[in-house]
Amino acid sequence: MRTGLSQLEDASNSKTNHADERREDSSQSRVSVRNMKLRDLLQGAEASIPASAEELEIRQVACDSRKVQPRALFFALHGAKADGNAFIRDAVSRGAAAIASEEAAPAAIPSSVPWIQVREARKALAAAAANFFSHPAASLQLVAVTGTNGKTTTTSLIDAIVKASGAKTGLFGTIAYHTPLGEYPAPNTTPESVDLQGFLAEIRDADGKFGVLEASSHSLAMDRLWGCHFAAAVFTNLTREHMDYHKTFEDYFAAKKTLFEGTGAGAPEVAVLNTDDEYGKRLSGLAKKTMTYGLESDADITTKKFQLTFNGLAFAAQTPNGKVQVASPLVGRINVYNILAAIGAAQALGLSNEIIEAGIRGLESVSGRFQRIDLGQPYFVVVDYAHTDDALENLIRTARELNPKGRIITLFGCGGGKDRTKRPVMGEVTGRLSDLTILSSDNPRTEDPLKIISDIIVGLQKTAGKYLIEPDREKAIGVAMDEARAGDIILLAGKGHENYQILADRTLEFDDRDMARRALRERGYSAPRTETGNGVPKNGSKFGT
């Protein structure tokens, strides 16, 4: 699929900040070359097309000048940190045949390159992309999951259920983008509209019928999903995040709400809402049909009793379509919510309870989400992506529920160039709930790691929590191992599946899971062993990776 990722995106949607240049381009050519007349390409977009340009043949739609190929229509988008209009000359030099922008044409543009003024560039881009790929979304049943936490696991569960039905599908989220043709790196949680439409075309052209995606607040604010109709839209929860971008919590909620109001193609067929969350209740009635889930409320999909163990979850879910017997390797109360959400979405797609049960049972783990590392050590080591105060609290409480007798040692940091307001809040959470906190670096980017840590300490010092400081994350992991006793749980929080660390001047290969294994080997551990009957490891936790 030859389109292009926007160089103008708000970088806070991706923890990489687009600085990890080692990641491959996620728009490699897997869709056959297409041609379309400019007037047809911009059908449905509010655009002023010069009469002399209507018959112009376009072979590519792009919003990143670096990806422009000959005969491209280049969209100059206003971004949070850059303006696409500054890259027009570069796009033209690479062969752009026409330019679309909200701005009037500058004098410096060659007269041979038509200028199309559009009212809303991002919506016009989404409409053009859908036209270019012959509206693939119309051939698929799409599911979008939005919320602060739980999106990746919930979409992974829905994807597993759809695959259990034997259907071909696609999955798009924080970890990677998947289509029937293979896997692409994920520079953003939700693909840019032009990339998304190309991915959906891959699913359609492979006779797939479904697509499942994480809908970030940035993607909704930036109209990346414009023109897509959803068979099901899922809301997980809403807590503090991305305040550097949305400015107020109501603005953040308003972006999420857009999914349920409809993204330019009508309201979703079914909204699946967590009504244990007050913001979930506020979304009721926006979609054509509402289905609720939760543990505390009188929800459509719920469970009254469940078992929480390191071996996974087992419970019976009550649903409008009868009981669903859940047996899942996933752990923790938060995954009860994620599973209930996935059941709701799957039922909205018309899938049977038997298929739902098989899909849930078959998803063994989600990369970097409560992922256990075991080389035979007498304590637990868990890697998790938790990078908000709510996610961190859920992580620590899950660890405490699963292992109430052991100590909890939490290692985390906060990303540089991001929302500073959450740092002291996260510090207060871990100081209150952990037995020991080790403060270190996440992806510091251009900020001084010690200044980030100082922001965290402001909140941590409101508690009686003990803490240590080691800015070097690899060394900090070793410190955590040295502090641990038999039966303790070490939580390596914040980076999860990430295999890089972004510093001011370079991006390093860095994976908490690999670093944990290295630290354990250096301390003489080499292989999983056995555990005692109470679930506390004797010579190892019995849980592999």
Side-chain angles (χ1 to χ4, degrees), residues 191-473:
E192 179 55 83
S193 60
V194 66
D195 298 301
L196 178 62
Q197 293 295 331
F199 292 136
L200 298 181
E202 288 189 8
I203 302 171
R204 176 201 60 200
D205 295 347
D207 296 323
K209 300 299 180 186
F210 300 92
V212 183
L213 59 88
E214 297 180 43
S216 69
S217 58
H218 295 78
S219 72
L220 291 163
M222 294 178 180
D223 293 313
R224 292 184 203 155
L225 303 180
W226 189 255
C228 293
H229 179 69
F230 293 94
V234 179
F235 173 81
T236 60
N237 48 64
L238 200 72
T239 60
R240 174 183 295 272
E241 176 72 321
H242 302 310
M243 290 299 101
D244 53 328
Y245 179 77
H246 295 290
K247 306 308 179 186
T248 71
F249 201 79
E250 280 300 313
D251 286 346
Y252 181 37
F253 174 64
K256 300 290 190 183
K257 184 179 178 181
T258 302
L259 177 64
F260 300 90
E261 294 172 325
T263 49
E269 295 298 315
V270 181
V272 182
L273 308 176
N274 174 10
T275 47
D276 286 355
D277 187 294
E278 288 301 315
Y279 287 91
K281 295 175 182 176
R282 289 173 59 179
L283 297 172
S284 182
L286 295 178
K288 296 177 183 178
K289 178 183 176 181
T290 295
M291 187 181 301
T292 63
Y293 72 94
L295 299 177
E296 301 170 5
S297 58
D298 184 20
D300 298 320
I301 302 172
T302 189
T303 184
K304 303 304 180 185
K305 185 179 180 181
F306 50 88
Q307 298 175 352
L308 298 176
T309 73
F310 268 115
N311 292 320
L313 294 165
F315 61 88
Q318 286 77 44
T319 83
N321 294 350
K323 285 189 178 181
V324 175
Q325 296 294 336
V326 172
S328 170
L330 303 181
V331 301
R333 184 180 301 268
I334 189 63
N335 278 320
V336 176
Y337 280 96
N338 294 335
I339 289 169
L340 294 177
I343 291 171
Q347 290 189 346
L349 295 176
L351 299 175
S352 71
N353 288 354
E354 292 74 22
I355 289 172
I356 293 171
E357 290 169 354
I360 294 171
R361 189 167 56 247
L363 183 66
E364 295 185 359
S365 64
V366 179
S367 181
R369 272 62 177 176
F370 211 90
Q371 187 169 350
R372 293 160 294 206
I373 308 299
D374 174 31
L375 292 183
Q377 73 278 3
Y379 44 82
F380 296 95
V381 178
V382 174
V383 173
D384 194 90
Y385 190 55
H387 59 280
T388 68
D389 55 289
D390 182 66
L392 191 60
E393 180 161 350
N394 284 331
L395 172 64
I396 299 170
R397 289 191 182 280
T398 294
R400 188 72 73 188
E401 281 186 302
L402 293 171
N403 192 34
K405 294 183 179 180
R407 295 185 309 155
I408 294 176
I409 299 171
T410 302
L411 184 156
F412 85 105
C414 290
K418 303 288 183 178
D419 179 12
R420 289 186 62 186
T421 63
K422 73 177 184 180
R423 295 172 185 173
V425 182
M426 292 178 70
E428 187 171 354
V429 165
T430 189
R432 177 166 43 88
L433 298 177
S434 301
D435 296 286
L436 174 65
T437 299
I438 300 175
L439 299 176
S440 190
S441 295
D442 188 285
N443 292 314
R445 299 183 176 87
T446 57
E447 284 196 65
D448 181 346
L450 287 175
K451 288 185 178 180
I452 297 174
I453 289 171
S454 294
D455 288 342
I456 298 171
I457 290 174
V458 170
L460 207 155
Q461 289 183 333
K462 293 180 180 179
T463 74
K466 299 177 181 178
Y467 66 92
L468 300 172
I469 298 172
E470 175 47 72
D472 184 310
R473 194 171 179 99

Side-chain angles (χ1 to χ4, degrees), residues 497-531:
H497 64 279
E498 293 180 347
N499 59 3
Y500 54 85
Q501 187 177 42
I502 305 171
L503 308 181
D505 57 346
R506 64 195 186 281
T507 297
L508 305 175
E509 289 187 6
F510 193 102
D511 189 316
D512 275 358
R513 297 161 295 187
D514 292 340
M515 293 301 174
R517 294 185 190 105
R518 179 185 298 177
L520 288 169
R521 290 189 184 100
E522 288 173 351
R523 285 155 182 80
Y525 303 108
S526 59
R529 302 179 195 174
T530 58
E531 67 176 14

Side-chain angles (χ1 to χ4, degrees), residues 89-110:
R89 183 171 298 177
D90 181 45
V92 171
S93 71
R94 295 172 188 266
I99 305 296
S101 172
E102 294 175 0
E103 307 299 324
I109 293 300

